[in-house]
Amino acid sequence: MAVAARKSKAPAQPKAAAKPAKARAGKESAGKVEGALSNTPTFSKDEDLHAYREMLLIRRFEEKAGQMYGMGLIGGFCHLYIGQEAVVIGMQMASKDGDQVITGYRDHGHMLACGMELRGVMAELTGRRGGYSRGKGGSMHMFSREKNFYGGHGIVGGQVSLGTGLAFADWYRGDNTVSMTYFGDGAANQGQVYESFNMAELWKLPVVFVIENNRYAMGTSVNRASAQTDFSRRGVSFNIPGEQVDGMDVRAVREAGLRAIEHARSGKGPYILEMQTYRYRGHSMSDPAKYRSKDEVQRMREEHDPIEQVRARLVRDFKVGEDELKAIDAKVREIVNDAAEFATHDPEPDPSELYTDILLEAPRG
């Protein structure tokens, strides 16, 4: 991969003030974000600016990807992360160097949060040789060992067992790292998830299971598809603690992430975080999302948007001017436009790439 990796480092983290939370037994309705975490912590100006830039970068990247998909420059499937940005940014702000990330196919935001180069990600979407998988993986299959990103995965829930395996490797090596394993509310009903829960708790593996509950899975409300809609309690039968988190507030995510990661890193085993979030677009670019009303989407945008919450705090609490915020947005758009330009004109893979990355050949001689 010839493209240099983008570097992004969060401001120094304060020590967590809250005690580890116990598994919740609440009966809140699925997707409810109000009051999911009481006593929401405050951010410093630098922390809010960092969160604002990083979330805005994901938002603008995904908007551009959607535009390029509509122009026919991106083929196959394309699942956008618009609306869910606070989840991965908050978790990355709580993590340490060396911690791993693995997720499903709604993965562009996770890649950027890990510091992967925008040009490489966008070029993979357009199937160009400068992409992270040399143009052969597309939206759903990108990896970066350098950035400890172990892939978006196309098999629903399949990454959960792989993320548990990463945690087993962490435990075996004793390197004090944690696997952050992301999956959605739909994947939470898959059988391999519970096999992974059992092994993770049995062996006290350092893994945080992050359930991104965006309410609709592939297009069915959680209330119609799940008997237990409090996903933080999915590990109760395995004695895995969990909690519900306002996944639209990056401060709440970071605070819960600090607790969960410390729990896993200290040898106490896995932890479940149910991030109550919301995606503004359909399941994929081909989904008209007729299973929900436009008024519902608009209400979430107006009342709970993760980026607008931070923007409002920057203006209100830290007196950040509109000119500074516009300059941040302009810089982000410049970076995204550069990635789109690269991904549009970078050459396609040579036909010989059809025969690479197929098998591991034994050394000769």
Side-chain angles (χ1 to χ4, degrees), residues 48-170:
D48 260 337
L49 281 171
H50 172 81
Y52 182 73
R53 291 190 191 99
E54 295 301 298
M55 289 194 293
L56 192 62
L57 186 71
I58 295 174
R59 178 72 60 89
R60 297 294 182 244
F61 182 94
E62 294 290 66
E63 289 170 347
K64 178 62 72 172
Q67 179 185 8
M68 294 174 70
Y69 186 93
M71 296 168 62
L73 295 171
I74 296 175
F77 291 98
C78 186
H79 305 82
L80 302 181
Y81 200 61
I82 297 174
Q84 299 182 214
E85 298 90 350
V87 176
V88 71
I89 294 303
M91 288 301 296
Q92 286 301 108
M93 291 178 74
S95 68
K96 295 182 179 179
D97 290 343
D99 292 341
Q100 303 112 333
V101 171
I102 189 169
T103 188
Y105 40 76
R106 196 179 308 281
D107 52 3
H108 312 154
H110 302 75
M111 299 175 201
L112 301 187
C114 287
M116 290 169 64
E117 168 61 40
L118 273 75
R119 281 187 168 194
V121 177
M122 192 69 87
E124 188 60 39
L125 297 185
T126 58
R128 306 306 172 104
R129 66 177 61 175
Y132 270 95
S133 296
R134 295 196 291 278
K136 299 188 293 182
S139 174
M140 301 164 75
H141 303 100
M142 273 181 263
F143 305 84
S144 174
R145 287 285 299 275
E146 178 190 7
K147 295 298 180 181
N148 292 307
F149 179 76
Y150 286 83
H153 293 266
I155 302 301
V156 176
Q159 75 275 16
V160 180
S161 53
L162 297 176
T164 305
L166 289 171
F168 180 84
D170 294 337

Side-chain angles (χ1 to χ4, degrees), residues 78-256:
C78 186
H79 305 82
L80 302 181
Y81 200 61
I82 297 174
Q84 299 182 214
E85 298 90 350
V87 176
V88 71
I89 294 303
M91 288 301 296
Q92 286 301 108
M93 291 178 74
S95 68
K96 295 182 179 179
D97 290 343
D99 292 341
Q100 303 112 333
V101 171
I102 189 169
T103 188
Y105 40 76
R106 196 179 308 281
D107 52 3
H108 312 154
H110 302 75
M111 299 175 201
L112 301 187
C114 287
M116 290 169 64
E117 168 61 40
L118 273 75
R119 281 187 168 194
V121 177
M122 192 69 87
E124 188 60 39
L125 297 185
T126 58
R128 306 306 172 104
R129 66 177 61 175
Y132 270 95
S133 296
R134 295 196 291 278
K136 299 188 293 182
S139 174
M140 301 164 75
H141 303 100
M142 273 181 263
F143 305 84
S144 174
R145 287 285 299 275
E146 178 190 7
K147 295 298 180 181
N148 292 307
F149 179 76
Y150 286 83
H153 293 266
I155 302 301
V156 176
Q159 75 275 16
V160 180
S161 53
L162 297 176
T164 305
L166 289 171
F168 180 84
D170 294 337
W171 168 83
Y172 188 81
R173 290 190 298 258
D175 57 11
N176 203 35
T177 52
V178 173
S179 167
M180 291 181 288
T181 300
Y182 293 80
F183 55 105
D185 48 288
N189 293 324
Q190 293 290 319
Q192 68 265 37
V193 171
Y194 298 94
E195 296 178 61
S196 299
F197 284 176
N198 185 58
M199 287 186 285
E201 176 61 23
L202 184 64
W203 298 332
K204 298 297 182 184
L205 301 181
V207 55
V208 177
F209 296 109
V210 184
I211 304 175
E212 298 193 72
N213 177 11
N214 62 25
R215 304 191 186 194
Y216 291 103
M218 288 184 68
T220 303
S221 169
V222 293
N223 295 306
R224 295 181 59 208
S226 297
Q228 172 56 274
T229 57
D230 183 345
F231 291 91
S232 70
R233 303 190 73 243
R234 290 298 183 97
V236 167
S237 62
F238 304 100
N239 298 316
I240 301 175
E243 60 182 288
Q244 292 180 318
V245 184
D246 181 355
M248 304 298 276
D249 189 332
V250 68
R251 302 168 302 174
V253 174
R254 203 277 299 272
E255 184 78 358

